[in-house]
């Protein structure tokens, strides 16, 4: 697989094999299907996004996976047939580079490789650029206006796509969402009628029992952390800056019926490191802690509890049992993919730590933390039937690595975990086949929990092609009930959702 190098020879793990980008927008109609597409999927689409540089990076050595332009991949379910289309999110960065016909900007580890015309586009004239250089040499990093200008360009909308109210949004966590339509045409930045005070993360959480959504944003400058409540129409109705002593990457958070849980873990995001090789620094001496707040509360209501050192990208759900908050998380010993060390700018993925699935029980009054290991094998992307989020869940899904080469792909096995019986159903995708996040959709809006379908995009390294697999979520071990074959590969991406685009 390593021979796939879209921009020429490179040792950078993020630009090789199926991590290497697809630079063309294409559409394939009436794809070949094994099995039968469930009729309940008619009028829906699976839409995903991930990092996919359109042009050869200016600094191949220090290009990071998170730098890539947002590339959306969508499967449309239409009367038993399936159509595929991919489109770039036309961000501010994308438009400027499209006009230039080449890359203009560096990335999170290669910011100083930005071209002069790129700096001009960022509104950095000679004196502003000189000031930035001096501040960087002095270890101060950019000032606020400089940082906000840089962040507006680095916003690639490459992390998640989801529906919020009537809007379809493509998100990352450096900037603000981009609104798109069902045909994946970019409408533009959506800042909630100017009520979004800064960036927002790619994992907002919705309580489908109340139709309320909650999200947050983190920053390298004060306020380091901002918390929002969004109504059913997709409008921000409350905003609360949360006091923390320093900024960190906070990719996700927990939401229960009455509380939120913040993961304040020591991947420091300090303005003085912006523009260096490592804008996110793993600093274990800072420790790790969880913050608990009533979800309609204020900053003054937050209680912080120290926990053993760890890192969390994703959780499955959170619910309450008396004074205890229960959540299942993919727990790492330290942050993967970042703070790589400048002596090894493009390490193989096998050098990254892996996560295990654990159940945390946190007493929200005393801070006592009880941890139960659910699986010791490498896992990620814990997911569930989100209609039942904030309540005790019976079913969960995640992907795992079994008998595979981590440098070729990070996951190769789909798991359905029954929390009532403690049993797992598993499906291994086969030798030299790798997948990513499994996405759930219910059969019907009122179906019992877990009654629905799971979808995975699978890459076959031998055929150099991808396929979409559709499972009955309650019978994962029986294998796909339908497989949709593509004529080419889809690059590894991050997150997506199944959304309704028309009434069936």
């Amino acid at each position: 697989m390593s021979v796939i190098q879209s921009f020429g020879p490179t040792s950078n793990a993020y630009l090789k094999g199926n991590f290497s980008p697809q630079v063309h927008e294409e559409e394939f109609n009436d794809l070949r299907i094994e099995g039968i597409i469930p009729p309940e999927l008619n009028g829906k689409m699976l839409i995903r996004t991930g990092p996919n540089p359109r042009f050869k990076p200016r600094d191949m050595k220090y290009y990071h996976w998170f730098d890539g332009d947002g590339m959306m991949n969508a499967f449309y379910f239409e009367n038993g047939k399936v159509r595929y289309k991919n489109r770039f999110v036309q961000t501010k960065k994308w438009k400027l580079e499209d006009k230039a016909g080449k890359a203009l900007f560096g990335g999170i580890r290669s910011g100083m490789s930005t071209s002069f015309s790129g700096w001009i586009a960022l509104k950095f004239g000679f004196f502003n650029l000189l000031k930035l250089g001096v501040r960087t040499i002095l270890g101060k990093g950019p000032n606020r206006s400089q940082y906000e200008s840089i962040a507006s360009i680095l916003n690639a909308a490459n992390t998640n796509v989801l529906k919020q109210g009537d809007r379809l949004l493509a998100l990352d966590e450096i900037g603000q969402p981009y609104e798109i339509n069902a045909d994946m045409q970019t409408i533009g930045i959506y800042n909630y009628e100017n009520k979004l005070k800064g960036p927002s993360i790619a994992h907002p959480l919705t309580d489908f029992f109340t139709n309320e959504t909650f999200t947050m944003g983190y920053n390298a400058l004060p306020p380091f952390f901002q918390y929002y409540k969004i109504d059913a129409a997709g409008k921000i109705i409350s905003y609360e800056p949360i006091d923390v002593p320093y900024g960190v990457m906070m990719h996700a958070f927990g939401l229960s019926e009455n509380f939120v849980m913040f993961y304040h873990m020591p991947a420091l995001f300090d303005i003085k490191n912006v523009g260096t090789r490592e804008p996110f620094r793993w600093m274990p001496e800072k420790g790790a802690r969880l913050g608990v707040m009533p979800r309609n509360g204020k900053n003054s209501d937050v209680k912080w509890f120290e926990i053993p050192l760890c890192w969390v990208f994703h959780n499955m759900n959170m619910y309450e049992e008396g004074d205890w908050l229960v959540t299942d998380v993919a727990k790492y010993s330290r942050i993967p993919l970042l703070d790589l060390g400048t002596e090894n700018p493009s390490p193989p993925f096998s050098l990254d730590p892996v996560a295990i699935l654990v159940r945390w029980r946190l007493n929200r009054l005393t801070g006592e933390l009880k941890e139960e290991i659910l699986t010791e094998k490498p896992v990620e992307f814990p997911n569930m039937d989100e209609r039942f989020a904030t309540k005790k869940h019976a079913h969960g899904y995640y992907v795992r690595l079994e008998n595979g080469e981590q440098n070729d792909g990070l996951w190769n096995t789909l798991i359905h975990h029954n929390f009532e019986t403690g049993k797992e159903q598993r499906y291994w995708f086969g030798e030299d086949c790798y997948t990513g996040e499994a996405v759930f959709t219910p059969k019907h809006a009122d179906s019992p929990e877990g009654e629905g379908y799971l979808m995975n995009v699978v890459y076959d390294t031998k055929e150099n092609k991808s396929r979409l697999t559709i499972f009955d979520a309650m019978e994962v071990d029986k294998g796909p009930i339908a497989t949709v074959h593509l004529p080419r590969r889809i690059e590894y991406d991050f997150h997506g959702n199944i959304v309704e685009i028309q009434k069936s």
Side-chain angles (χ1 to χ4, degrees), residues 43 112 130 143 145 174 255 281 294-295 308 324 351 368 375 422-423 488:
M112 300 312 290
L130 180 63
N143 60 31
S145 64
I174 296 297
L255 177 74
R281 304 284 175 92
R295 71 185 203 181
W324 298 84
L351 295 183
E368 180 184 359
T375 174
K423 294 182 178 180
R488 63 157 173 82

Side-chain angles (χ1 to χ4, degrees), residues 280-484:
F280 298 96
R281 304 284 175 92
W282 182 248
M283 300 183 69
E285 65 274 16
K286 295 287 189 179
R289 59 187 188 149
L290 299 175
V292 175
M293 184 183 82
R295 71 185 203 181
N296 295 321
K298 299 292 185 181
N299 170 65
S300 57
D301 299 319
V302 181
K303 293 183 178 180
W304 292 99
F305 304 110
E306 300 294 324
I307 65 169
L309 184 67
C310 65
W311 171 258
V312 172
F313 265 126
H314 304 111
N315 69 339
M316 183 177 291
N317 182 32
M318 190 170 80
Y319 61 91
E320 300 163 25
E321 289 185 341
D323 295 335
W324 298 84
L325 300 176
V326 185
T327 184
D328 302 327
V329 302
K331 189 189 80 165
Y332 293 85
S333 60
R334 55 154 293 153
I335 192 170
L337 302 173
L338 292 163
D339 197 2
L340 306 173
T342 54
E343 74 284 354
N344 194 353
S346 54
F349 289 95
S350 57
L351 295 183
D352 273 317
V354 295
I356 60 172
L357 191 68
V358 303
R359 172 161 287 185
W360 280 345
R361 296 178 184 273
L362 178 73
N363 188 300
R364 60 180 177 81
L365 301 180
T366 68
E368 180 184 359
L369 181 70
K370 299 178 181 180
E371 179 177 287
E372 174 189 357
I373 296 176
L374 300 178
T375 174
E376 293 183 337
K377 295 182 179 179
V379 305
E380 248 300 354
F381 301 128
N383 211 337
M384 64 168 296
D385 183 340
E386 293 182 349
R387 295 173 302 152
F388 295 86
T390 74
K391 303 295 192 292
K392 185 175 183 179
H393 54 281
H395 303 280
Y397 317 99
Y398 46 91
V399 290
R400 194 158 72 194
L401 180 67
E402 295 184 0
N403 304 316
E405 172 52 58
Q406 192 175 13
N407 291 329
D408 289 340
L410 301 181
W411 323 108
N412 61 12
T413 303
L414 173 61
I415 304 294
H416 165 216
H417 192 119
N418 187 318
F419 289 93
E420 292 182 334
T421 66
K423 294 182 178 180
E424 285 184 349
Q425 292 181 349
R426 60 181 290 277
Y427 183 82
W428 181 57
F429 286 100
E431 186 176 0
D432 300 316
C433 292
Y434 296 89
T435 189
E437 175 190 53
V439 181
F440 176 90
T441 189
K443 286 186 179 180
H444 305 285
D446 58 354
S447 294
E449 182 194 352
E451 187 177 290
Y453 303 104
L454 289 170
M455 297 188 196
N456 285 72
V457 177
V458 180
Y459 173 62
D460 187 320
T461 65
K462 291 181 178 178
E463 292 188 0
N464 191 31
K465 292 180 181 178
S466 295
R467 59 184 182 265
L468 174 67
T469 56
I470 303 172
F471 293 81
D472 183 323
M474 299 296 285
E475 297 184 330
V476 163
D477 53 346
K478 292 186 178 181
I481 57 176
T483 300
V484 183

Side-chain angles (χ1 to χ4, degrees), residues 80 101 123 159 164 169 222 236 294 305 375 393 503:
K123 299 181 175 60
T159 309
Q164 203 169 88
L169 303 177
I236 290 175
F305 304 110
T375 174
H393 54 281
K503 296 294 184 182

Side-chain angles (χ1 to χ4, degrees), residues 16 100 425 437 497 504:
K16 296 168 64 176
Q425 292 181 349
E437 175 190 53
N497 285 275
S504 53

Side-chain angles (χ1 to χ4, degrees), residues 194-218:
N194 294 315
K195 291 187 177 180
L196 190 61
K197 305 296 185 181
S200 63
I201 62 166
H203 291 294
L205 296 176
T206 297
D207 183 340
F208 287 91
F209 297 97
T210 65
N211 287 321
E212 296 170 315
T213 295
F214 301 83
T215 194
M216 63 180 191
Y218 67 83

Side-chain angles (χ1 to χ4, degrees), residues 20-320:
S20 187
Q22 293 280 14
V23 297
H24 299 293
E25 296 180 330
E26 297 179 288
E27 184 170 358
F28 304 114
N29 297 304
D30 199 7
L31 294 169
R32 181 169 70 89
I33 299 170
E34 287 182 72
I36 298 175
I37 301 296
E40 295 90 350
L41 297 180
N42 185 47
K44 293 184 177 182
M45 66 185 292
L46 167 65
I47 182 167
R48 301 184 56 82
T49 191
N52 191 93
R54 185 183 184 197
F55 296 110
K56 181 177 179 179
R58 295 186 60 80
D59 187 338
M60 292 271 283
K61 183 177 181 181
Y62 284 100
Y63 169 83
H64 193 279
W65 196 17
F66 295 173
D67 292 339
D69 297 295
M71 172 66 90
M72 298 173 288
N73 293 283
F75 293 85
Y76 297 82
F77 298 96
E78 300 164 331
N79 299 313
K81 297 183 179 181
V82 182
R83 174 169 57 96
Y84 165 85
K85 180 189 290 188
N86 70 323
R87 290 290 183 271
F88 283 102
V89 185
Q90 293 189 11
T91 62
K92 182 178 179 181
K93 171 182 179 290
W94 187 95
K95 288 182 177 180
L96 289 168
E97 293 185 333
D98 178 65
K99 184 176 181 180
K102 62 181 179 180
L104 298 176
F105 308 100
I108 61 173
R109 304 186 75 214
S110 57
M112 300 312 290
S113 69
T114 295
S115 67
F116 182 72
S117 56
W119 287 116
I120 295 299
L122 285 168
K123 299 181 175 60
F124 277 72
F126 175 78
F127 291 107
N128 201 8
L129 189 56
L130 180 63
K131 183 191 298 184
L132 175 63
V134 171
R135 289 181 62 87
T136 301
I137 291 171
L138 295 176
K140 295 182 178 181
N143 60 31
R144 183 176 294 272
S145 64
Q146 290 171 334
Y147 170 73
E148 290 176 349
S149 182
I150 293 169
S152 72
I153 287 292
L154 293 182
N155 176 8
N158 66 8
T159 309
N160 199 3
V161 185
L162 51 82
K163 206 162 190 179
Q164 203 169 88
D166 293 329
R167 289 183 168 86
L168 195 56
L169 303 177
L171 311 96
D172 69 2
E173 52 195 52
I174 296 297
Q176 299 182 335
Y178 274 84
E179 184 178 357
I180 60 174
N181 64 21
D183 200 41
M184 294 189 292
Q185 296 170 319
T186 303
I187 297 170
I189 284 280
Y190 180 64
N191 61 11
Y192 301 86
E193 299 174 340
N194 294 315
K195 291 187 177 180
L196 190 61
K197 305 296 185 181
S200 63
I201 62 166
H203 291 294
L205 296 176
T206 297
D207 183 340
F208 287 91
F209 297 97
T210 65
N211 287 321
E212 296 170 315
T213 295
F214 301 83
T215 194
M216 63 180 191
Y218 67 83
N219 216 320
L221 289 161
F224 295 119
F225 175 45
Q226 298 165 305
Y227 173 73
Y228 303 88
K229 179 179 176 181
I230 302 167
D231 68 13
K235 295 184 178 182
I236 290 175
I237 55 176
S238 67
Y239 161 72
E240 185 72 11
I242 305 297
D243 289 337
V244 290
Y246 45 83
V248 301
M249 174 185 276
M250 202 181 304
H251 187 70
F253 67 108
L255 177 74
S256 70
E257 186 176 355
N258 297 292
F259 296 93
V260 290
M261 178 185 289
F262 308 133
Y263 308 142
H264 198 254
M265 297 169 179
L268 265 68
F269 189 30
D270 193 314
I271 193 64
K272 69 176 183 291
N273 297 327
V274 173
T276 71
R277 296 296 189 201
E278 297 298 343
F280 298 96
R281 304 284 175 92
W282 182 248
M283 300 183 69
E285 65 274 16
K286 295 287 189 179
R289 59 187 188 149
L290 299 175
V292 175
M293 184 183 82
R295 71 185 203 181
N296 295 321
K298 299 292 185 181
N299 170 65
S300 57
D301 299 319
V302 181
K303 293 183 178 180
W304 292 99
F305 304 110
E306 300 294 324
I307 65 169
L309 184 67
C310 65
W311 171 258
V312 172
F313 265 126
H314 304 111
N315 69 339
M316 183 177 291
N317 182 32
M318 190 170 80
Y319 61 91
E320 300 163 25

